[in-house]
């Protein structure tokens, strides 16, 4: 490889790293939102189950 080719390759690597960093933040945010939504849904289902159990045990 020539020095020029090495320079171009290094520039390409730097660009790809910057692009990966740029895309990773929204992905991490989306993952956190998904986990929060899943936890909220699990809590909602648990509450509905508890209400059902209370109502069912009264009859």
């Amino acid at each position: 490889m020539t020095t020029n080719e090495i320079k171009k390759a290094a520039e390409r690597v730097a660009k790809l790293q910057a692009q990966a960093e740029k895309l990773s933040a929204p992905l991490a945010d989306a993952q956190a939102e998904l986990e929060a939504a899943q936890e909220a849904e699990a809590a909602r289902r648990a509450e509905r189950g508890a209400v059902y159990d209370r109502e069912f045990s009264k009859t």
Side-chain angles (χ1 to χ4, degrees):
M1 274 186 123
T2 65
T3 304
N4 193 32
E5 290 173 328
I6 294 171
K7 267 186 177 176
K8 285 183 180 181
E11 289 171 1
R12 181 77 175 136
V13 168
K15 285 180 184 178
L16 289 172
Q17 286 176 330
Q19 186 179 16
E21 288 176 15
K22 181 180 177 183
L23 295 175
S24 67
L27 181 60
D29 292 344
Q31 181 67 30
E33 288 179 23
L34 174 61
E35 290 173 6
Q38 288 173 330
E39 291 173 6
E41 178 64 14
R44 185 186 69 79
R45 287 179 184 232
E47 179 59 27
R48 287 184 66 198
V51 168
Y52 176 81
D53 290 345
R54 284 193 300 269
E55 294 297 320
F56 186 70
S57 67
K58 290 181 182 177
T59 59

